Amino acid sequence: MTLSLNWRKWLSYAGIALVVGYCMAPFYWMLVSSLRRTSDIFDNSAWPSAFSLENYLAVIDPAHGFTRALLNSVVVAGVTTAAALVLATLTAYAMARLNFRFKRVVLTAIIATSMFPVVSIVVPLLKTFTDIGWINTYQAMIVPSMSFALPLAVWNLTTFFRQMPDELEHAAMVDGCTRGQAFRKVILPLAAPGIFTTAIITFIAAWNEFLIALTMTNKQEMQTAPVAISKFSGASQFETPFGSQMAAGVLVTVPLVVLVLVFQRRIVAGLTAGAAK
């Protein structure tokens, strides 16, 4: 029996290691490639023969405009997350607590809107934004991103609010709070883990968005980081700067990894909240 338990434990560890290795292998190769010299970029060894920071120095070169692109990504992802979170929190609470006809249909319609492929709405949005003068503006990237971030946030938070007992608001209203005060002073603090988790997921989705940002901008100073990486150019038109692209990819990915690692407890708490009563 003990031997069987040990084998199961080691198989579990091996499975976890396999999954972690599979997920981390692309990032590891990107990191290693970013530290190679340009002449060694096609070296297949698992470790650079000589470390070099020339790719990172090339990325922060003002000619690439990557620093401004990072700032643009922060603005777009931050505003998208904040706006989507405010609207989703109010909508989800109403969907979870209020009873009205066709509520399930409304919820289904909300989540269905996030399933449309981005390419299907890019052309009409491009025509609309061109007519109203929104091309090369932040709102041209934020508004379409919200159309995909908001349904996901509403769906997640609706499920979370449903798991919170109605007695919380009733007890607060017995003590003299209005419905709005009960929501603000009682429900929101208790819902913080779910809201925080939804914010992280929304921010990551907005940070990595590419097609909308590529379509709605044609000026270098308005490009987001993913678009800037795709437009890196080499010394000649026939050269692809793989090293610089790898270094830029690391700089884009590291903030998200750090964010998840720092707040992993809150994220896990939000994902598992309400799983047990």
Side-chain angles (χ1 to χ4, degrees):
M1 180 63 71
T2 303
L3 183 62
S4 177
L5 291 176
N6 287 336
W7 270 108
R8 289 181 181 180
K9 182 175 68 174
W10 284 111
L11 284 175
S12 298
Y13 290 155
I16 294 173
L18 182 63
V19 172
V20 172
Y22 180 80
C23 295
M24 293 300 296
F27 179 75
Y28 172 77
W29 192 254
M30 181 170 63
L31 177 62
V32 169
S33 298
S34 70
L35 295 173
R36 299 186 196 275
R37 296 172 300 186
T38 303
S39 57
D40 300 331
I41 195 63
F42 293 109
D43 185 3
N44 291 324
S45 60
W47 197 253
S49 57
F51 286 94
S52 173
L53 296 177
E54 65 180 75
N55 293 319
Y56 289 93
L57 295 177
V59 166
I60 63 176
D61 187 341
H64 283 145
F66 188 70
T67 304
R68 176 58 188 268
L70 281 176
L71 177 60
N72 292 337
S73 288
V74 170
V75 172
V76 172
V79 174
T80 299
T81 301
L85 207 61
V86 171
L87 294 175
T89 300
L90 298 175
T91 303
Y93 181 75
M95 298 297 294
R97 288 293 192 259
L98 301 182
N99 292 319
F100 54 89
R101 295 180 62 186
F102 306 116
K103 183 167 73 171
R104 185 172 295 276
V105 175
V106 172
L107 271 176
T108 303
I110 289 174
I111 195 63
T113 58
S114 66
M115 297 180 182
F116 289 104
V118 179
V119 68
S120 67
I121 68 171
V122 163
V123 174
L125 282 178
L126 179 62
K127 177 65 169 62
T128 301
F129 290 166
T130 301
D131 292 340
I132 63 178
W134 274 19
I135 299 301
N136 291 312
T137 62
Y138 287 128
Q139 59 267 28
M141 295 178 280
I142 293 171
V143 173
S145 296
M146 283 187 60
S147 67
F148 296 97
L150 192 56
L152 177 62
V154 169
W155 189 265
N156 287 342
L157 290 176
T158 298
T159 303
F160 188 83
F161 283 131
R162 279 179 175 173
Q163 295 169 346
M164 303 181 70
D166 296 341
E167 288 78 8
L168 293 173
E169 292 102 310
H170 296 162
M173 288 187 284
V174 167
D175 290 337
C177 289
T178 64
R179 186 85 181 198
Q181 290 173 332
F183 170 72
R184 188 175 68 256
K185 297 180 179 180
V186 178
I187 299 301
L188 280 183
L190 294 176
I195 294 174
F196 191 86
T197 302
T198 303
I200 293 293
I201 296 173
T202 303
F203 184 86
I204 292 175
W207 179 270
N208 292 327
E209 200 286 317
F210 174 75
L211 185 56
I212 293 173
L214 176 66
T215 306
M216 301 302 169
T217 59
N218 52 36
K219 293 183 178 179
Q220 184 181 25
E221 60 269 19
M222 290 304 300
Q223 294 172 355
T224 59
V227 177
I229 293 175
S230 71
K231 293 190 175 182
F232 277 179
S233 58
S236 68
Q237 62 176 332
F238 302 106
E239 179 185 352
T240 301
F242 293 110
S244 298
Q245 290 178 338
M246 293 292 185
V250 171
L251 294 178
V252 169
T253 306
V254 164
L256 300 182
V257 175
V258 172
L259 191 66
V260 172
L261 291 177
V262 170
F263 297 108
Q264 60 179 328
R265 291 187 178 181
R266 288 182 174 270
I267 294 173
V268 172
L271 291 175
T272 59
K277 294 184 179 179

